[in-house]
Amino acid sequence: MSESEPEPAAAQWDEESLWQLVSARGMGRRQFLRLMMVGGAAAVIAACNGADSTVGTSGPASGQTSSNTSSASPWFKDTTPFLAHDDKRSLEARLEKMQGLITPNRLFFVRNNSVSLALDASNWRLSVEGDGVDEPMELTYDDIRGLPSRTMTSYLECAGNHRAMFDLLKGQRASGTQWMTGGVGNGEWVGASLADVLTLAGIHASAVSVLLIGLDEMSPEEGFRYVMPVEKAMHRDTLLAYALNGEILPKDHGFPVRVIAPGWVGSANIKWLGRVVVSSEQTWTRNNTTSYTLIGDDYPPEGESKGRPVTMQVIKSALSLPWPAELAPGRHRINGYAHSPLRAIERVEWSADSGRTWNDATLSGSQKDYSWARFEFVWDAEPGERSIMTRATDVAGDTQPDSVPFNEKGYLFNQPVPHPIRVS
């Protein structure tokens, strides 16, 4: 829905989506079915909104309660600043609303695989198990916060960000939510190193895979999960984060604890983390065989995967303008954001003639840790239908490619995008 549209009416909810919503808010299956029989979706929504006895009494995850009883919304944050996709699981940020390097929590994009959870930190537990550790253990929220903390700036991006460009620019529509350029944000995260937890559990030298599992049991596989190689899991900057931008981690972003894996796609950054399973053999799940996988002629299968599992992000840039943008004729200061996994951005160029000539933009602000870069340039806009392309280069010389091979799921699109601008 667009930012001006109201919350979906009861008639707009299909039964499965409505069940996912209200079960996450504490409604039991029996009550849900009874209300559907008596009064349909309207009765379910009314009960979820108005009766304390139906909210927070049970749920798919340990200690789950709900404070979001004001509306039948899959999220806790105000959705007004976002482009809300019709999958009811994705809030796309509008880059034109951002100023500076850090994305405010209220503007930070959301990508869920069911609905946001409201968990009770006092009842939350993290299980660490598997044949790859000597000492399986269960840690509390206070245990995690009692470990040495790390503060780190890192961008976070959905693997499908820019997915719509496969269709818009190449005429090949990929499956999944049609993200434009706003499935990305940049934040200051605080947490404990996952490596410290794995060390406490006595991780074996022979360990190969670390399976991260969320408590969002309505998601595929009864808890969204991602398989991480042990080398990434043991990197000191792979965090069990409990704070974002100076605040306790918001519910929509994984409270009480989530994973932050710098430079890796959003699916690796598991929210509402509940289990860590360490294995001495390669682990295969939905998300590294058929779902978060590059599938296409240019991506031969690897292991049990139908293609190439998605891991690291790719270098990208985008303008902080509405799509499409409308500007008056004359001189304008245009800005945008660029990022590269694990490396700083060294250069951003822009072109207003479809890439025939390129001009240097100016980088502004520091790129601390794994931060994105903010860039700007001055453009003399003449009347007519125009477009501006940008391309970024990092300190290792990696540059956005002229073209990206198609993949069925539409992941990792990063060729320069001609941003449409009407000057009148």
Side-chain angles (χ1 to χ4, degrees):
M1 70 187 108
S2 70
E3 66 175 16
S4 61
E5 291 175 339
E7 288 286 315
Q12 294 177 272
W13 287 94
D14 62 85
E15 184 171 327
E16 181 59 28
S17 296
L18 185 59
W19 163 240
Q20 289 185 354
L21 170 69
V22 299
S23 63
R25 302 294 181 248
M27 183 177 289
R29 183 70 177 177
R30 181 177 298 178
Q31 182 184 16
F32 171 75
L33 293 174
R34 178 176 61 82
L35 289 168
M36 285 295 290
M37 290 177 63
V38 172
V44 174
I45 292 173
C48 187
N49 288 349
D52 290 343
S53 61
T54 67
V55 178
T57 57
S58 64
S62 172
Q64 181 176 326
T65 60
S66 176
S67 59
N68 186 19
T69 60
S70 61
S71 66
S73 172
W75 304 283
F76 290 90
K77 63 170 57 181
D78 177 11
T79 63
T80 303
F82 299 92
L83 170 62
H85 290 278
D86 57 11
D87 62 1
K88 301 186 180 74
R89 299 177 182 181
S90 307
L91 294 177
E92 180 171 342
R94 299 180 186 271
L95 297 185
E96 67 270 19
K97 293 182 178 292
M98 299 183 190
Q99 299 293 327
L101 285 174
I102 299 298
T103 305
N105 292 356
R106 65 182 182 84
L107 299 179
F108 216 105
F109 85 100
V110 180
R111 166 61 175 140
N112 288 342
N113 283 274
S114 54
V115 296
S116 292
L117 302 183
L119 304 184
D120 182 350
S122 65
N123 293 331
W124 174 87
R125 298 293 184 272
L126 176 64
S127 170
V128 185
E129 56 195 87
D131 66 5
V133 295
D134 286 325
E135 300 287 341
M137 60 176 58
E138 195 173 77
L139 300 172
T140 67
Y141 184 62
D142 287 341
D143 289 335
I144 298 296
R145 291 182 64 95
L147 293 171
S149 67
R150 294 185 62 78
T151 299
M152 181 180 68
T153 301
S154 178
Y155 81 91
L156 177 64
E157 182 181 24
C158 178
N161 195 29
H162 291 209
R163 176 182 285 131
M165 303 306 166
F166 276 112
D167 187 17
L168 294 176
L169 303 185
K170 303 171 79 71
Q172 295 176 284
R173 186 179 178 88
S175 63
T177 302
Q178 296 300 300
W179 291 92
M180 297 295 287
T181 62
V184 62
N186 192 51
E188 183 181 76
W189 309 90
V190 180
S193 289
L194 175 57
D196 287 348
V197 170
L198 296 177
T199 300
L200 285 174
I203 187 170
H204 297 171
S206 60
V208 172
S209 293
V210 178
L211 175 62
L212 308 165
I213 305 175
L215 292 170
D216 47 343
E217 293 183 358
M218 300 80 64
S219 294
E221 299 183 288
E222 298 183 341
F224 193 75
R225 52 192 66 197
Y226 186 91
V227 179
M228 184 177 289
V230 70
E231 293 80 11
K232 181 63 174 177
M234 289 296 290
H235 192 285
R236 64 176 188 151
D237 289 339
T238 299
L239 297 187
L240 301 180
Y242 46 76
L244 172 60
N245 295 336
E247 300 178 3
I248 295 297
L249 193 65
K251 295 181 179 71
D252 289 305
H253 296 286
F255 177 84
V257 173
R258 73 171 300 165
V259 176
I260 291 297
W264 283 47
V265 294
S267 55
N269 297 256
I270 295 293
K271 297 192 282 190
W272 313 292
L273 185 67
R275 291 174 62 201
V276 177
V277 183
V278 185
S279 175
S280 58
E281 296 182 354
Q282 174 63 48
T283 302
W284 297 98
T285 73
R286 169 184 176 271
N287 285 342
N288 64 350
T289 55
T290 60
S291 183
Y292 281 84
T293 303
L294 298 171
I295 301 172
D297 294 340
D298 293 86
Y299 305 101
E302 297 181 9
E304 296 182 21
S305 177
K306 289 183 65 178
R308 191 180 81 197
V310 175
T311 56
M312 287 183 63
Q313 272 291 356
V314 290
I315 187 170
K316 285 183 184 175
S317 61
L319 296 178
S320 297
L321 290 174
W323 186 291
E326 294 189 8
L327 297 175
R331 176 163 289 199
H332 295 272
R333 186 171 296 276
I334 309 293
N335 60 58
Y337 294 94
H339 43 85
S340 182
L342 309 182
R343 303 191 192 110
I345 296 296
E346 183 172 70
R347 184 184 189 188
V348 175
E349 300 166 279
W350 63 278
S351 174
D353 58 7
S354 302
R356 291 187 294 275
T357 59
W358 292 91
N359 311 280
D360 283 331
T362 300
L363 299 180
S364 57
S366 62
Q367 298 174 57
K368 183 180 179 182
D369 304 322
Y370 308 100
S371 173
W372 65 11
R374 193 167 189 262
F375 63 86
E376 61 180 31
F377 57 90
V378 174
W379 178 49
D380 291 317
E382 297 182 356
E385 300 292 335
R386 309 297 180 189
S387 68
I388 295 178
M389 302 169 63
T390 63
R391 68 182 181 192
T393 302
D394 66 22
V395 293
D398 189 18
T399 302
Q400 291 179 249
D402 293 333
S403 183
V404 177
F406 179 76
N407 68 88
E408 293 179 8
K409 305 286 185 176
Y411 296 131
L412 305 184
F413 185 99
N414 71 327
Q415 72 185 57
V417 171
H419 196 118
I421 303 172
R422 173 174 294 174
V423 182
S424 60

